[in-house]
Each structure stands twice: as structure tokens, then as C-alpha cells.
Amino acid sequence: MRGLSSAATAGLAFAVGVLAVLAAQQRRFEALRLRVAQVEQADYRNARLAEQQRFQTYLLDKALDDPDLAEVLSTINEVNPTRRRQYLFANALYTSILRAYRAGDVSWDELHGHLRVICQSALFRDYWNASRHHRASLEEASQEARVGRMVDTLIHDLDESDTDEWWVVGEPPSEQD
């Protein structure tokens, strides 16, 4: 009887151990399944974003080639066709840098550096001023609104700077600002 009791206890302990291992494996499997679903969702989102970007670039190319189409794409009125095309290009340049940040190709600090370069252009600054009403409807906490405020600050800092070394002007705000 005593031998049977020890064997039953050992068997029960073994079964409990097996169940614990199976439960841990099940939790690990579920965590991996969730991670795969997240990666697939991110891949799908990135594919949609890339397709949208290709289409936007296609439309921009058509507008840059045809002043009549540029009038449709640009909402900035009272500019001549040459200036409209320059503004469309300035927008494309800004959007390209913003997308590189969103895609993770550049960091927040690198984004700041790229924006500081394009803010050297008087035409970009004109475009930025002319398109300020476009940014008025952005949610204040949105990523695009935060980047827009970064450009506003950069332009202000560059205007107020007393150095010709524009590449050292301004510090990027924290990414949460």
C-alpha cells in the first residue's frame, strides 16, 4: 500500500509538472500568435501607406507637368502657375521628409535637421506661410501638428538668429511636445 501511495504521489507530481509546462507553452504560443498578428497588421498598413504614397506622387507628377491640373491640386489661390508648381514641390518635399519620419527611416532629431535645411529656402517659407490655413484644422496632439509646430519654431529661430551658421540654429523639441 505504501509503495502504491508513493507511486501515486510521484505520478500526480509528474502530471502537475506536465500541466504547468503545457500551460506555460500555451501562454508563450498565445503571445507569439498575438505578435505575429501585430506584425501582419503593421505590414498591411505599411503596404497601404506605400501604395497611397505612390499614388500621391503620381498625382503630383501630373500636376507639375500640367498647370491646369496644378490648379486643382493646389488650394493656394492667387499665385502664378510657376509659383503654384513651386509650392506643390515644396509640399512634396515636406511630405517626403514627414513620411520618412513616420516610416522610421529618420529619427525625430534627424527630422529636425532635414526640416532646418528646407527652411533655408525662401520659397519654402513662402509656401509654409501660404499654407498655414491647411494646418489650422489639425488636432493639436497629432503628429503632423507637432511637426508643423517644429517647422514654425525653426523658421522663427532662423529669423531671430544672429549667426550665419544656420545648421546650428534651433534644438528639436522633445518628441512628445
Side-chain angles (χ1 to χ4, degrees), residues 11-167:
L12 184 59
F14 178 76
V16 167
V18 168
L19 288 174
V21 168
L22 287 174
Q25 284 180 338
Q26 181 64 30
R27 284 190 302 273
R28 175 86 171 124
F29 175 76
E30 183 61 21
L32 288 172
R33 189 188 66 71
L34 287 172
R35 180 66 185 131
V36 166
Q38 289 171 340
V39 168
E40 286 175 345
Q41 185 178 17
D43 284 349
Y44 177 69
R45 181 182 177 280
N46 288 339
R48 283 189 352 247
L49 182 60
E51 181 60 30
Q52 187 275 331
Q53 289 171 355
R54 279 190 291 276
F55 188 64
Q56 183 68 27
T57 301
Y58 167 77
L59 292 174
L60 178 63
D61 285 344
K62 292 196 70 78
L64 289 173
D65 289 340
D66 185 337
D68 293 335
L69 297 180
E71 278 191 57
V72 175
L73 189 56
S74 176
T75 60
I76 301 171
N77 297 321
E78 300 175 13
V79 293
N80 66 51
T82 299
R83 182 56 53 102
R84 178 172 286 116
R85 290 176 63 219
Q86 290 169 333
Y87 282 3
L88 288 172
F89 187 80
N91 176 264
L93 184 59
Y94 169 75
T95 302
S96 173
I97 294 167
L98 179 62
R99 287 178 179 158
Y101 170 69
R102 286 179 172 164
D105 294 335
V106 298
S107 69
W108 182 252
D109 289 347
E110 291 169 323
L111 172 67
H112 183 265
H114 288 295
L115 292 171
R116 182 170 37 208
V117 170
I118 66 171
C119 285
Q120 293 305 303
S121 165
L123 282 170
F124 178 82
R125 290 177 184 216
D126 288 346
Y127 153 75
W128 194 254
N129 184 51
S131 64
R132 69 186 172 287
H133 61 280
H134 293 170
R135 295 180 297 283
S137 63
L138 295 174
E139 291 183 28
E140 190 172 325
S142 73
Q143 186 179 65
E144 192 167 351
R146 288 184 291 118
V147 174
R149 287 191 298 274
M150 183 193 300
V151 173
D152 291 338
T153 301
L154 268 168
I155 290 171
H156 175 266
D157 290 351
L158 288 164
D159 285 344
E160 298 296 314
S161 174
D162 59 358
T163 180
D164 290 333
E165 297 175 348
W166 58 265
W167 55 91

